[in-house]
Amino acid sequence: MIRPDRSAGSGGPVRRLAGTLHRRPWLRLAALLSAPLLWLIVAYLGSLVALFVAAFWSTDVFTGNVVKQFTTRNFHDLVTIGVYRTVTLRSVMIAVLVTIVDFVIAFPMALYMAKMASPRARRWMVIAILTPLWASYLVKAYAWRIMLSNGGLLDWALNPFGGHGPGYGVPATVITLAYLWLPYMILPIYAGLERLPNSLLDAAGDLGSRTLRTFRTVIWPVVFPAVIAGSIFTFSLSLGDYITVKIVGGKSQMIGNVVYDNIGVANNLPFAAAVATLPVAVMVIYLTAVRRTGALENL
């Protein structure tokens, strides 16, 4: 019987590399994560570092050139000039309102999908929720502009009742942003409710627990981390948005608009970088507060 000679390929570079990776699991892990970590460090964290560094520069008022000398004037203006405090508070308020509106709409939808709908209906509802994400951001924003303006769909629907559409401003901005980011609230809550065993709900009912108590003691502790996850998406995306408020916000401004105007109009990159640190600081504060609740550990 002639046996195949395996010694010829045993010393090939590919086989040696495979053997080395097999014997050293930490090397496999390093090879797997090296590219993503390099991208994270260079492209993501590197851009944030460049942003923070540029925030301490200034712009020459005569030439418009960036002066790369350390100064805190940009942050001093952010604190002392009232319009920037107003814009920051308005941006946070809009982000909070969008998050609340999305939660109020998303929770009953997610609850129905996870615990009441049939498997077939559940699949179609997930498709219906994801379908708007396939459309262009600008198309959806301009569609809401048409519906909210005078003569639009909402204005026409409210006319018989003596009302009128929201028009342009903060209410229109909240409505549009709540529509845009609603899937990012529904899907985490739906995933959280799916992890809730039906046996717990049945046991609560058998023990005589009323609806509100079942929600407070059984449902809410399980779904709370999912709500926090959804709120991180809706809050952060709304806080940094500037296109929607340009389209439906009228004269209202948010932090993103100040950044855009200082880059595209005023050509003041250092001040724009300083303004851009505001949403980063707000999100750090928010995530720190959320972390104290323990919700992040249970995601």
Side-chain angles (χ1 to χ4, degrees):
M1 180 178 179
I2 301 175
R3 296 182 180 180
D5 184 9
R6 299 178 180 177
S7 59
S10 61
V14 176
R15 188 176 294 273
R16 288 199 302 269
L17 177 61
T20 302
L21 293 176
H22 178 73
R23 292 190 300 270
R24 296 176 174 85
W26 63 270
L27 191 58
R28 295 201 307 268
L29 182 63
L32 179 66
L33 297 180
S34 58
L37 286 177
L38 182 63
W39 175 263
L40 176 66
I41 295 172
V42 175
Y44 185 73
L45 297 180
S47 62
L48 284 179
V49 171
L51 172 73
F52 293 139
V53 171
F56 291 97
W57 294 342
S58 62
T59 302
D60 191 290
V61 294
F62 297 104
T63 64
N65 296 327
V66 176
V67 179
K68 298 180 180 180
Q69 293 180 352
F70 181 84
T71 178
T72 59
R73 180 178 181 83
N74 295 323
F75 293 99
H76 180 268
D77 291 342
L78 284 178
V79 174
T80 57
I81 298 178
V83 65
Y84 299 120
R85 294 197 300 268
T86 302
V87 169
T88 301
L89 292 176
R90 182 188 299 124
S91 301
V92 174
M93 179 194 69
I94 289 175
V96 171
L97 289 176
V98 170
T99 300
I100 293 174
V101 170
D102 280 344
F103 170 73
V104 171
I105 298 174
F107 188 85
M109 292 181 63
L111 182 62
Y112 177 80
M113 290 168 56
K115 298 302 176 186
M116 303 176 191
S118 64
R120 180 182 177 86
R122 187 181 303 128
R123 288 192 294 269
W124 282 109
M125 291 186 71
V126 171
I127 293 174
I129 291 169
L130 293 177
T131 299
L133 296 178
W134 302 344
S136 169
Y137 178 100
L138 289 176
V139 170
K140 293 182 286 187
Y142 274 107
W144 275 101
R145 176 188 174 95
I146 295 173
M147 289 189 291
L148 296 170
S149 60
N150 294 333
L153 179 62
L154 291 181
D155 187 61
W156 171 81
L158 294 174
N159 268 334
F161 304 98
H164 56 82
Y168 304 129
V170 173
T173 302
V174 172
I175 292 172
T176 305
L177 289 176
Y179 166 79
L180 291 173
W181 312 138
L182 181 60
Y184 298 100
M185 180 65 81
I186 295 178
L187 295 178
I189 297 179
Y190 167 67
L193 287 171
E194 268 201 325
R195 295 197 299 264
L196 178 64
N198 292 329
S199 58
L200 290 180
L201 301 177
D202 296 337
D206 293 341
L207 293 174
S209 177
R210 297 181 179 274
T211 303
L212 290 179
R213 186 172 183 181
T214 300
F215 173 80
R216 180 173 55 86
T217 59
V218 179
I219 299 177
W220 183 248
V222 175
V223 79
F224 178 66
V227 174
I228 293 299
S231 71
I232 292 173
F233 287 115
T234 58
F235 185 81
S236 61
L237 292 172
S238 300
L239 189 65
D241 189 90
Y242 74 96
I243 298 178
T244 295
V245 72
K246 280 283 188 182
I247 296 174
V248 302
K251 296 181 179 180
S252 303
Q253 277 194 324
M254 295 177 65
I255 295 175
N257 303 107
V258 179
V259 175
Y260 175 82
D261 292 340
N262 277 276
I263 293 177
V265 180
N267 193 27
N268 192 348
L269 178 61
F271 187 74
V275 178
T277 61
L278 290 176
V280 177
V282 172
M283 284 307 303
V284 168
I285 295 172
Y286 180 68
L287 291 175
T288 302
V290 167
R291 186 176 181 276
R292 291 179 178 272
T293 66
L296 298 181
E297 286 77 4
N298 296 322
L299 287 177

